[in-house]
Every structure is written in structure tokens, then in C-alpha cells.
Amino acid sequence: MAEAITIHKSQGRSESKIVIDVRNPSKIKNHMDRQKWYVALSRARSLNGLYILGAFKPPNEIKPDDDVNAEMNRLRQNPLVPKYQFLRVVPENVIQIVSHNTQSIRKHITTIVSDQVFSSSHIVTLQESWAIDNESYNIPDFEEISRNRLMGRPRAFGTINFCKLNIEARIVDRIEIENGNSNNHVEISGFKLDNRLTIINVYNNPSSSLEF
């Protein structure tokens, strides 16, 4: 434990209470620039937990020729184009299906919900969901159609399927194949879409010797 740390050392931390000591002018003169103030002030989780010892002198305003302005202008003139932009705008006559080994839906649900590729798709199928029978997972505008029924604690098993709310889907026979060995199992779940397309979600453990 330390009684105090430098601003540089504090980067990356978030604290409930932060005290910034600027009482010694000889030590901070010409050193407390805008960047350091930003790092120091933003360590506090709220204004209620932020304390400043000494006089707060606002940093100079950003000049038109400042490096920050130059970089922002460059980014505006050269916007980033996602590599898979075409997956974010789906034509009306296309049904987009996304399949992903999520390695724990509980852990990554926030990423799934915020990903435009997932939200633009009609069907989302996940493997290694780590989902258990008594938990539900909410993806806005989607409903869960089927999953492998895994009881007890989360494990590196499980398939789970979601479908957009405006698409008619119904469950077909749910199938599970598992022989009790965690390194030797296959999981299958599925459903039928609009009575014309059957979606089968299969996860075959790389170490599995099972054939189907």
C-alpha cells in the first residue's frame, strides 16, 4: 500500500474516492497540462468522491493547430469502415444466420447485445454457451427458440438458438448426444423456420470420437 501515487501510476484505475494534491506550485508548474488533469480527474467514479487540495487552474483551451484537433480532423475525413459492414445491412430478401462459439453467453452477453452484426441478423446460434437450464438470456428483439438442457453448474457445453421476434419459428425434436465424458461429446439442437427451413446447431468437441 502507498499513501500516494503519481498521476502516471494511477492510469487504468477507478476509485470511489480520489484526492488530487496540487498545493505545491513549485512541483506542478508547467507540468499539470490538460492530459494529466484528464487522467487525474477521471480516476474518480463520481464527483462526490473527487477532492482537490489546492487551487484548480483550468488547462489552456485546445488550439486549432493542436495535435488532438489534427487527429480528430483526420479521423473525420478518413472514417473507419468495418470489414464486415455488409453484415450490418441485410437485404429484405435475405435471411442472415450468425453462428458463434461464444465460450459462455453469461460472460459475453453484453458484447452480443451491442454487436450490430448480431442485432442485424435473423437467427443467432451459439455453441459452448455454458448455459444452464434455470437461467434466461435476453437479446433485445430476439426470442430463445431452443437449447441443450444442461443441468447444474455451467460447463463448456451447450448450444442455444435465438430468432428475431418477427419471424415465425417452431421447435423441432431436440436432440442431445453426450456420453458423460466432458472431452467426448456432441450436442445438437434445432428448429424450423417458417415451415420451410430447418436450422440445426451442432457442436462437436474437438476431442470427441463420436460419429453421427
Side-chain angles (χ1 to χ4, degrees):
M1 294 291 293
E3 293 184 358
I5 59 175
T6 64
I7 292 173
H8 291 294
K9 191 72 173 179
S10 73
Q11 292 188 75
R13 297 181 59 166
S14 296
E15 302 290 348
S16 299
K17 293 184 179 181
I18 289 289
V19 178
I20 303 170
D21 190 350
V22 290
R23 291 176 296 182
N24 193 333
S26 63
K27 289 186 177 181
I28 64 172
K29 185 179 180 181
N30 299 326
H31 292 286
M32 205 59 183
D33 55 20
R34 185 177 61 251
Q35 293 89 335
K36 292 187 181 67
W37 270 120
Y38 167 77
V39 173
L41 296 172
S42 61
R43 297 312 92 198
R45 292 192 175 98
S46 69
L47 286 175
N48 292 332
L50 178 60
Y51 303 87
I52 299 176
L53 301 180
F56 171 71
K57 294 182 179 181
N60 296 329
E61 294 184 3
I62 299 177
K63 298 178 180 179
D65 60 347
D66 190 273
D67 289 342
V68 172
N69 266 338
E71 178 62 14
M72 291 303 296
N73 289 331
R74 185 190 71 80
L75 291 174
R76 292 188 186 101
Q77 295 170 7
N78 303 278
L80 294 175
V81 178
K83 183 176 182 180
Y84 299 107
Q85 177 67 26
F86 67 96
L87 294 176
R88 303 182 180 199
V89 182
V90 183
E92 291 185 2
N93 61 339
V94 171
I95 295 176
Q96 180 164 292
I97 303 172
V98 171
S99 179
H100 182 63
N101 188 321
T102 190
Q103 296 185 353
S104 177
I105 186 173
R106 177 194 296 172
K107 182 178 180 180
H108 299 294
I109 187 66
T110 302
T111 302
I112 293 171
V113 168
S114 62
D115 192 299
Q116 292 184 21
V117 174
F118 282 94
S119 60
S120 299
S121 300
H122 299 89
I123 297 168
V124 174
T125 67
L126 304 175
Q127 302 83 40
E128 283 196 80
S129 67
W130 289 68
I132 57 177
D133 197 46
N134 61 352
E135 288 187 346
S136 60
Y137 310 95
N138 180 40
I139 301 179
D141 299 323
F142 283 80
E143 65 175 327
E144 181 186 322
I145 299 298
S146 60
R147 69 164 86 173
N148 291 110
R149 299 291 165 180
L150 301 178
M151 306 299 293
R153 64 181 178 82
R155 297 175 293 166
F157 297 176
T159 63
I160 188 169
N161 307 294
F162 297 87
C163 188
K164 268 283 173 62
L165 289 172
N166 60 351
I167 293 181
E168 181 184 346
R170 64 182 180 86
I171 298 174
V172 296
D173 290 339
R174 189 180 293 108
I175 305 169
E176 284 188 70
I177 303 175
E178 184 180 337
N179 71 345
N181 184 339
S182 61
N183 293 322
N184 192 24
H185 68 277
V186 175
E187 300 147 18
I188 305 172
S189 62
F191 60 95
K192 184 167 285 188
L193 182 68
D194 291 337
N195 293 320
R196 57 190 173 89
L197 180 64
T198 299
I199 308 298
I200 302 295
N201 185 4
V202 180
Y203 175 73
N204 187 11
N205 188 287
S207 301
S208 174
S209 61
L210 298 176
E211 296 182 0
F212 58 95

